Amino acid sequence: MEHKKGREGFSSGIAAFLATLGSAVGLGNIWKFPYVVGENGGAAFLLVYFICIIFIGLPVMISEFYIGRKTKKNVMGALEILTPKRKWKTIGIISILASYFIVFFYSSVGGWVYSYVFKIIKGDFYEVTSQSAQDEFVRTIIGPIPPIVWQVIVVAVVSLILALGVKNGIERITKTLMPILFILILICDIKAVTLPGIGDSFKFLFKVDFSMLSGSVILMAMGLAFFKLSLGMGCMMTYGSYFTKKDNMMGTAAKVAISDTIVSLLVGIAVFSAVFSFEMKPSSGPGLLFMTVPMVFSKLPFGTLLLLAFFILASIAATTAMTSMCEVVIAYYSEQKGMSRTKAVLLNAVIILGIGIFATLSADAGSLLGKFTIFHMRLFGLFDFLSSNILLPLGGILIALFVGYVIPKEDIKKELSNEGKLKLDKLIDAYYVILRYVTPVLVFVVFLSSLGLIEKLIKLFH
Ligand code: TRP
């Protein structure tokens, strides 16, 4: 009825929520969140992150849902429907570019995670010391063949889910796996609380020290907020286009943002209680997760089983999140370019692997590719930096400006309240004001501050 003929969608509000949560919860929570919080000093960074979630993340997410559900189209198709002006297509171009940049390195980290599941089953983590955990991580990322094979496996699994379609693939997988993931995290936390480092873990995560903040730290926090909630590149637009007309989009956005943050914190508490229990450094970088978690669990009864549970959980999260970033491109290829879904999935897999393997190889600093840097970043880090810290916030500003200034307010009200059926008037008003006057300004200011401009201005007036 509401769905255009032949176009798939999620079957219920709860399915839409779980699928969207499946997109948000990913390696961002399990791998990136702990190490980025660790590198940037903990609580103060977290505070900025929360502010970004509320004033940037939520409004952008609601706007993306609006565009998607209103048009029931892929990113490019949606913009074509909403405006004749070609310049807004930039949002679509950023979306496709960002989707690939992210997936190039994401699939490689996904490969490391999958390979850990295999290694744990094989018994490689029987007696773990701080040194052996570090050695194992180094062995994992040193190529050339094994990390690429694992990356191929991840891409194959994601492609299979995508090929099954929105209902049979994405919806079914997220509905089954998200609750399991949550239970596994809780089990890991129950163990983590018994570790001696738990007090320091809480202190690190919740005791604010403002001296840790700087322009680049704030940019990282904003980038992480975009990355965590899958925003700024049409992912939430595409998922929004599969929502039913009965879903409460503002409610879903709030539930997803809150649940995602809870999951990040639960993982953070576990990882940092390990870090502080075994005197590791919170600022160990991208290897943090891979070096700490095996240490914690190896010291506990049933440790290997828990370790296995943790890495299975990470694999689930990586898979459902990666599926969502690819769906942006699949929907585009199949609706705009008229490809069959299968063909679109295959083409997508070929592109990811064609370039993604270079990201994987570059993660090893000792390799030939690892020595090649641009702006002091290896290919792996460059893809991450360009997508999270530049493309996503840029996409976010454009989305906020587009919905805030091009779409008439009445249309937004009608869509967000499901034609007046939901009584959300006050909330919609608040959202609209923040979207127009706070979100774009905040993103812009963060950009400026990361360039050091604001610090210079402050000095000028002192
Ligand atoms: N949010 C996911 C995570 O935390 C990653 C992700 C999925 C993503 N889809 C995205 C990031 C779209 C940016 C844009 O792991």
mmCIF file of all heavy atoms in Angstrom, residues 278-314:
data_model
loop_
_atom_site.group_PDB
_atom_site.id
_atom_site.type_symbol
_atom_site.label_atom_id
_atom_site.label_comp_id
_atom_site.label_asym_id
_atom_site.label_seq_id
_atom_site.Cartn_x
_atom_site.Cartn_y
_atom_site.Cartn_z
ATOM 1 N N PHE A 278 46.021 -4.828 33.860
ATOM 2 C CA PHE A 278 47.268 -5.457 33.419
ATOM 3 C C PHE A 278 48.316 -4.437 32.995
ATOM 4 O O PHE A 278 49.199 -4.720 32.219
ATOM 5 C CB PHE A 278 46.971 -6.463 32.300
ATOM 6 C CG PHE A 278 46.013 -7.514 32.746
ATOM 7 C CD1 PHE A 278 44.697 -7.513 32.308
ATOM 8 C CD2 PHE A 278 46.415 -8.480 33.657
ATOM 9 C CE1 PHE A 278 43.800 -8.467 32.760
ATOM 10 C CE2 PHE A 278 45.523 -9.436 34.113
ATOM 11 C CZ PHE A 278 44.218 -9.430 33.662
ATOM 12 N N GLU A 279 48.136 -3.232 33.525
ATOM 13 C CA GLU A 279 49.111 -2.173 33.307
ATOM 14 C C GLU A 279 49.470 -1.973 31.848
ATOM 15 O O GLU A 279 50.629 -1.885 31.477
ATOM 16 C CB GLU A 279 50.363 -2.452 34.148
ATOM 17 C CG GLU A 279 49.995 -2.330 35.612
ATOM 18 C CD GLU A 279 51.157 -2.576 36.544
ATOM 19 O OE1 GLU A 279 52.266 -2.810 36.042
ATOM 20 O OE2 GLU A 279 50.928 -2.508 37.750
ATOM 21 N N MET A 280 48.449 -1.933 31.026
ATOM 22 C CA MET A 280 48.693 -1.592 29.636
ATOM 23 C C MET A 280 48.381 -0.117 29.467
ATOM 24 O O MET A 280 47.805 0.509 30.346
ATOM 25 C CB MET A 280 47.780 -2.404 28.740
ATOM 26 C CG MET A 280 48.097 -3.861 28.789
ATOM 27 S SD MET A 280 46.991 -4.710 27.712
ATOM 28 C CE MET A 280 47.967 -6.096 27.262
ATOM 29 N N LYS A 281 48.740 0.412 28.299
ATOM 30 C CA LYS A 281 48.471 1.830 28.067
ATOM 31 C C LYS A 281 47.137 2.001 27.362
ATOM 32 O O LYS A 281 46.885 1.345 26.357
ATOM 33 C CB LYS A 281 49.586 2.432 27.204
ATOM 34 C CG LYS A 281 50.823 2.789 28.017
ATOM 35 C CD LYS A 281 51.583 3.896 27.369
ATOM 36 C CE LYS A 281 52.711 3.552 26.462
ATOM 37 N NZ LYS A 281 53.443 2.385 26.406
ATOM 38 N N PRO A 282 46.275 2.922 27.876
ATOM 39 C CA PRO A 282 45.008 3.133 27.174
ATOM 40 C C PRO A 282 45.237 3.684 25.765
ATOM 41 O O PRO A 282 44.371 3.603 24.915
ATOM 42 C CB PRO A 282 44.255 4.134 28.043
ATOM 43 C CG PRO A 282 45.206 4.642 29.042
ATOM 44 C CD PRO A 282 46.374 3.706 29.112
ATOM 45 N N SER A 283 46.410 4.245 25.539
ATOM 46 C CA SER A 283 46.642 4.875 24.230
ATOM 47 C C SER A 283 47.411 3.973 23.285
ATOM 48 O O SER A 283 48.288 4.417 22.568
ATOM 49 C CB SER A 283 47.402 6.180 24.432
ATOM 50 O OG SER A 283 48.585 5.910 25.150
ATOM 51 N N SER A 284 47.084 2.672 23.286
ATOM 52 C CA SER A 284 47.848 1.765 22.424
ATOM 53 C C SER A 284 47.398 1.753 20.971
ATOM 54 O O SER A 284 47.919 0.989 20.175
ATOM 55 C CB SER A 284 47.771 0.337 22.946
ATOM 56 O OG SER A 284 47.946 0.290 24.314
ATOM 57 N N GLY A 285 46.411 2.558 20.616
ATOM 58 C CA GLY A 285 46.012 2.654 19.207
ATOM 59 C C GLY A 285 45.127 1.511 18.742
ATOM 60 O O GLY A 285 44.530 0.799 19.552
ATOM 61 N N PRO A 286 45.054 1.334 17.406
ATOM 62 C CA PRO A 286 44.104 0.393 16.816
ATOM 63 C C PRO A 286 44.238 -1.042 17.314
ATOM 64 O O PRO A 286 43.319 -1.839 17.156
ATOM 65 C CB PRO A 286 44.432 0.456 15.314
ATOM 66 C CG PRO A 286 45.087 1.762 15.114
ATOM 67 C CD PRO A 286 45.812 2.074 16.379
ATOM 68 N N GLY A 287 45.384 -1.380 17.918
ATOM 69 C CA GLY A 287 45.536 -2.752 18.385
ATOM 70 C C GLY A 287 44.984 -2.973 19.783
ATOM 71 O O GLY A 287 44.955 -4.096 20.276
ATOM 72 N N LEU A 288 44.531 -1.887 20.419
ATOM 73 C CA LEU A 288 44.107 -1.949 21.832
ATOM 74 C C LEU A 288 43.203 -3.141 22.137
ATOM 75 O O LEU A 288 43.503 -3.969 22.988
ATOM 76 C CB LEU A 288 43.406 -0.634 22.217
ATOM 77 C CG LEU A 288 42.961 -0.527 23.673
ATOM 78 C CD1 LEU A 288 44.156 -0.400 24.600
ATOM 79 C CD2 LEU A 288 42.051 0.690 23.893
ATOM 80 N N LEU A 289 42.100 -3.223 21.405
ATOM 81 C CA LEU A 289 41.125 -4.279 21.636
ATOM 82 C C LEU A 289 41.775 -5.662 21.531
ATOM 83 O O LEU A 289 41.573 -6.531 22.361
ATOM 84 C CB LEU A 289 40.014 -4.146 20.594
ATOM 85 C CG LEU A 289 39.042 -5.292 20.529
ATOM 86 C CD1 LEU A 289 38.062 -5.150 21.659
ATOM 87 C CD2 LEU A 289 38.320 -5.303 19.203
ATOM 88 N N PHE A 290 42.566 -5.818 20.481
ATOM 89 C CA PHE A 290 43.128 -7.134 20.167
ATOM 90 C C PHE A 290 44.186 -7.563 21.182
ATOM 91 O O PHE A 290 44.466 -8.734 21.338
ATOM 92 C CB PHE A 290 43.723 -7.116 18.761
ATOM 93 C CG PHE A 290 42.692 -6.866 17.704
ATOM 94 C CD1 PHE A 290 42.434 -5.579 17.248
ATOM 95 C CD2 PHE A 290 41.965 -7.921 17.188
ATOM 96 C CE1 PHE A 290 41.468 -5.349 16.287
ATOM 97 C CE2 PHE A 290 40.996 -7.700 16.226
ATOM 98 C CZ PHE A 290 40.743 -6.418 15.774
ATOM 99 N N MET A 291 44.773 -6.588 21.864
ATOM 100 C CA MET A 291 45.813 -6.944 22.818
ATOM 101 C C MET A 291 45.282 -7.070 24.242
ATOM 102 O O MET A 291 45.799 -7.827 25.033
ATOM 103 C CB MET A 291 46.934 -5.921 22.747
ATOM 104 C CG MET A 291 47.556 -5.912 21.361
ATOM 105 S SD MET A 291 49.033 -4.948 21.233
ATOM 106 C CE MET A 291 48.455 -3.333 20.880
ATOM 107 N N THR A 292 44.232 -6.294 24.560
ATOM 108 C CA THR A 292 43.772 -6.316 25.945
ATOM 109 C C THR A 292 42.785 -7.433 26.233
ATOM 110 O O THR A 292 42.928 -8.149 27.225
ATOM 111 C CB THR A 292 43.062 -4.999 26.313
ATOM 112 O OG1 THR A 292 42.088 -4.725 25.326
ATOM 113 C CG2 THR A 292 44.027 -3.869 26.439
ATOM 114 N N VAL A 293 41.806 -7.556 25.374
ATOM 115 C CA VAL A 293 40.727 -8.491 25.698
ATOM 116 C C VAL A 293 41.222 -9.933 25.914
ATOM 117 O O VAL A 293 40.830 -10.582 26.883
ATOM 118 C CB VAL A 293 39.608 -8.383 24.640
ATOM 119 C CG1 VAL A 293 38.572 -9.456 24.851
ATOM 120 C CG2 VAL A 293 38.974 -7.014 24.732
ATOM 121 N N PRO A 294 42.123 -10.426 25.049
ATOM 122 C CA PRO A 294 42.616 -11.790 25.297
ATOM 123 C C PRO A 294 43.299 -11.915 26.653
ATOM 124 O O PRO A 294 43.191 -12.951 27.320
ATOM 125 C CB PRO A 294 43.636 -12.007 24.168
ATOM 126 C CG PRO A 294 43.190 -11.107 23.083
ATOM 127 C CD PRO A 294 42.630 -9.896 23.773
ATOM 128 N N MET A 295 43.970 -10.835 27.100
ATOM 129 C CA MET A 295 44.626 -10.850 28.405
ATOM 130 C C MET A 295 43.623 -11.033 29.536
ATOM 131 O O MET A 295 43.806 -11.834 30.435
ATOM 132 C CB MET A 295 45.327 -9.510 28.655
ATOM 133 C CG MET A 295 46.543 -9.296 27.868
ATOM 134 S SD MET A 295 47.865 -10.178 28.628
ATOM 135 C CE MET A 295 47.895 -9.375 30.215
ATOM 136 N N VAL A 296 42.566 -10.249 29.497
ATOM 137 C CA VAL A 296 41.593 -10.295 30.581
ATOM 138 C C VAL A 296 41.024 -11.677 30.725
ATOM 139 O O VAL A 296 40.989 -12.253 31.800
ATOM 140 C CB VAL A 296 40.341 -9.447 30.265
ATOM 141 C CG1 VAL A 296 39.515 -9.236 31.502
ATOM 142 C CG2 VAL A 296 40.668 -8.206 29.525
ATOM 143 N N PHE A 297 40.552 -12.173 29.606
ATOM 144 C CA PHE A 297 39.799 -13.406 29.697
ATOM 145 C C PHE A 297 40.686 -14.594 29.988
ATOM 146 O O PHE A 297 40.258 -15.544 30.632
ATOM 147 C CB PHE A 297 38.973 -13.600 28.431
ATOM 148 C CG PHE A 297 37.867 -12.592 28.323
ATOM 149 C CD1 PHE A 297 37.540 -12.015 27.113
ATOM 150 C CD2 PHE A 297 37.154 -12.210 29.449
ATOM 151 C CE1 PHE A 297 36.525 -11.081 27.018
ATOM 152 C CE2 PHE A 297 36.138 -11.281 29.370
ATOM 153 C CZ PHE A 297 35.825 -10.713 28.147
ATOM 154 N N SER A 298 41.928 -14.523 29.539
ATOM 155 C CA SER A 298 42.787 -15.684 29.755
ATOM 156 C C SER A 298 43.027 -15.913 31.247
ATOM 157 O O SER A 298 43.339 -17.002 31.678
ATOM 158 C CB SER A 298 44.111 -15.500 29.035
ATOM 159 O OG SER A 298 44.909 -14.594 29.758
ATOM 160 N N LYS A 299 42.847 -14.863 32.035
ATOM 161 C CA LYS A 299 43.110 -14.988 33.470
ATOM 162 C C LYS A 299 41.888 -15.492 34.245
ATOM 163 O O LYS A 299 41.932 -15.610 35.453
ATOM 164 C CB LYS A 299 43.492 -13.611 34.049
ATOM 165 C CG LYS A 299 44.736 -13.009 33.434
ATOM 166 C CD LYS A 299 45.983 -13.518 34.140
ATOM 167 C CE LYS A 299 47.237 -12.841 33.649
ATOM 168 N NZ LYS A 299 47.605 -13.151 32.272
ATOM 169 N N LEU A 300 40.812 -15.725 33.562
ATOM 170 C CA LEU A 300 39.577 -16.047 34.275
ATOM 171 C C LEU A 300 39.145 -17.485 34.032
ATOM 172 O O LEU A 300 39.489 -18.080 33.021
ATOM 173 C CB LEU A 300 38.461 -15.119 33.776
ATOM 174 C CG LEU A 300 38.725 -13.632 33.971
ATOM 175 C CD1 LEU A 300 37.692 -12.821 33.219
ATOM 176 C CD2 LEU A 300 38.705 -13.282 35.443
ATOM 177 N N PRO A 301 38.378 -18.033 34.985
ATOM 178 C CA PRO A 301 37.814 -19.352 34.709
ATOM 179 C C PRO A 301 36.914 -19.281 33.473
ATOM 180 O O PRO A 301 36.229 -18.266 33.269
ATOM 181 C CB PRO A 301 37.001 -19.663 35.974
ATOM 182 C CG PRO A 301 37.014 -18.427 36.805
ATOM 183 C CD PRO A 301 38.050 -17.505 36.294
ATOM 184 N N PHE A 302 36.932 -20.284 32.689
ATOM 185 C CA PHE A 302 36.190 -20.309 31.410
ATOM 186 C C PHE A 302 36.619 -19.171 30.495
ATOM 187 O O PHE A 302 35.858 -18.710 29.660
ATOM 188 C CB PHE A 302 34.665 -20.240 31.624
ATOM 189 C CG PHE A 302 34.127 -21.316 32.491
ATOM 190 C CD1 PHE A 302 33.673 -21.047 33.773
ATOM 191 C CD2 PHE A 302 34.105 -22.632 32.026
ATOM 192 C CE1 PHE A 302 33.186 -22.060 34.583
ATOM 193 C CE2 PHE A 302 33.620 -23.650 32.837
ATOM 194 C CZ PHE A 302 33.173 -23.367 34.108
ATOM 195 N N GLY A 303 37.847 -18.713 30.687
ATOM 196 C CA GLY A 303 38.326 -17.550 29.938
ATOM 197 C C GLY A 303 38.248 -17.719 28.432
ATOM 198 O O GLY A 303 37.816 -16.820 27.722
ATOM 199 N N THR A 304 38.669 -18.883 27.956
ATOM 200 C CA THR A 304 38.704 -19.066 26.509
ATOM 201 C C THR A 304 37.296 -18.997 25.923
ATOM 202 O O THR A 304 37.088 -18.428 24.853
ATOM 203 C CB THR A 304 39.356 -20.411 26.148
ATOM 204 O OG1 THR A 304 40.516 -20.545 26.965
ATOM 205 C CG2 THR A 304 39.754 -20.461 24.706
ATOM 206 N N LEU A 305 36.353 -19.550 26.675
ATOM 207 C CA LEU A 305 34.972 -19.496 26.188
ATOM 208 C C LEU A 305 34.473 -18.057 26.094
ATOM 209 O O LEU A 305 33.840 -17.646 25.124
ATOM 210 C CB LEU A 305 34.055 -20.265 27.135
ATOM 211 C CG LEU A 305 33.765 -21.707 26.742
ATOM 212 C CD1 LEU A 305 32.808 -22.336 27.733
ATOM 213 C CD2 LEU A 305 33.190 -21.750 25.329
ATOM 214 N N LEU A 306 34.811 -17.277 27.145
ATOM 215 C CA LEU A 306 34.394 -15.873 27.147
ATOM 216 C C LEU A 306 35.056 -15.100 26.018
ATOM 217 O O LEU A 306 34.441 -14.263 25.362
ATOM 218 C CB LEU A 306 34.802 -15.218 28.459
ATOM 219 C CG LEU A 306 33.784 -15.336 29.567
ATOM 220 C CD1 LEU A 306 34.360 -14.786 30.848
ATOM 221 C CD2 LEU A 306 32.521 -14.555 29.187
ATOM 222 N N LEU A 307 36.317 -15.400 25.817
ATOM 223 C CA LEU A 307 37.064 -14.732 24.755
ATOM 224 C C LEU A 307 36.411 -15.025 23.406
ATOM 225 O O LEU A 307 36.221 -14.132 22.575
ATOM 226 C CB LEU A 307 38.506 -15.243 24.773
ATOM 227 C CG LEU A 307 39.471 -14.533 23.844
ATOM 228 C CD1 LEU A 307 39.549 -13.061 24.205
ATOM 229 C CD2 LEU A 307 40.862 -15.155 23.929
ATOM 230 N N LEU A 308 36.037 -16.285 23.258
ATOM 231 C CA LEU A 308 35.364 -16.683 22.021
ATOM 232 C C LEU A 308 34.060 -15.905 21.888
ATOM 233 O O LEU A 308 33.744 -15.350 20.828
ATOM 234 C CB LEU A 308 35.101 -18.195 22.054
ATOM 235 C CG LEU A 308 34.503 -18.781 20.796
ATOM 236 C CD1 LEU A 308 35.460 -18.614 19.628
ATOM 237 C CD2 LEU A 308 34.194 -20.265 20.988
ATOM 238 N N ALA A 309 33.314 -15.825 23.005
ATOM 239 C CA ALA A 309 32.040 -15.094 22.981
ATOM 240 C C ALA A 309 32.277 -13.655 22.556
ATOM 241 O O ALA A 309 31.570 -13.110 21.709
ATOM 242 C CB ALA A 309 31.395 -15.129 24.362
ATOM 243 N N PHE A 310 33.308 -13.046 23.116
ATOM 244 C CA PHE A 310 33.571 -11.642 22.813
ATOM 245 C C PHE A 310 33.887 -11.432 21.332
ATOM 246 O O PHE A 310 33.369 -10.517 20.694
ATOM 247 C CB PHE A 310 34.727 -11.117 23.672
ATOM 248 C CG PHE A 310 34.906 -9.645 23.558
ATOM 249 C CD1 PHE A 310 34.245 -8.782 24.424
ATOM 250 C CD2 PHE A 310 35.702 -9.086 22.560
ATOM 251 C CE1 PHE A 310 34.385 -7.412 24.315
ATOM 252 C CE2 PHE A 310 35.849 -7.721 22.442
ATOM 253 C CZ PHE A 310 35.180 -6.878 23.326
ATOM 254 N N PHE A 311 34.726 -12.287 20.778
ATOM 255 C CA PHE A 311 35.081 -12.061 19.375
ATOM 256 C C PHE A 311 33.965 -12.482 18.417
ATOM 257 O O PHE A 311 33.853 -11.939 17.315
ATOM 258 C CB PHE A 311 36.439 -12.697 19.037
ATOM 259 C CG PHE A 311 37.558 -11.754 19.412
ATOM 260 C CD1 PHE A 311 38.180 -11.823 20.645
ATOM 261 C CD2 PHE A 311 37.935 -10.730 18.551
ATOM 262 C CE1 PHE A 311 39.166 -10.916 21.014
ATOM 263 C CE2 PHE A 311 38.908 -9.818 18.906
ATOM 264 C CZ PHE A 311 39.535 -9.905 20.132
ATOM 265 N N ILE A 312 33.118 -13.399 18.848
ATOM 266 C CA ILE A 312 31.937 -13.703 18.023
ATOM 267 C C ILE A 312 31.032 -12.466 18.001
ATOM 268 O O ILE A 312 30.538 -12.040 16.961
ATOM 269 C CB ILE A 312 31.178 -14.933 18.570
ATOM 270 C CG1 ILE A 312 32.009 -16.184 18.307
ATOM 271 C CG2 ILE A 312 29.804 -15.056 17.914
ATOM 272 C CD1 ILE A 312 31.391 -17.461 18.834
ATOM 273 N N LEU A 313 30.886 -11.875 19.173
ATOM 274 C CA LEU A 313 30.085 -10.643 19.293
ATOM 275 C C LEU A 313 30.645 -9.535 18.382
ATOM 276 O O LEU A 313 29.920 -8.869 17.657
ATOM 277 C CB LEU A 313 30.101 -10.270 20.751
ATOM 278 C CG LEU A 313 29.965 -8.992 21.483
ATOM 279 C CD1 LEU A 313 30.149 -9.330 22.943
ATOM 280 C CD2 LEU A 313 30.837 -7.886 21.145
ATOM 281 N N ALA A 314 31.959 -9.393 18.407
ATOM 282 C CA ALA A 314 32.573 -8.364 17.563
ATOM 283 C C ALA A 314 32.347 -8.681 16.084
ATOM 284 O O ALA A 314 32.096 -7.786 15.271
ATOM 285 C CB ALA A 314 34.065 -8.268 17.867
#
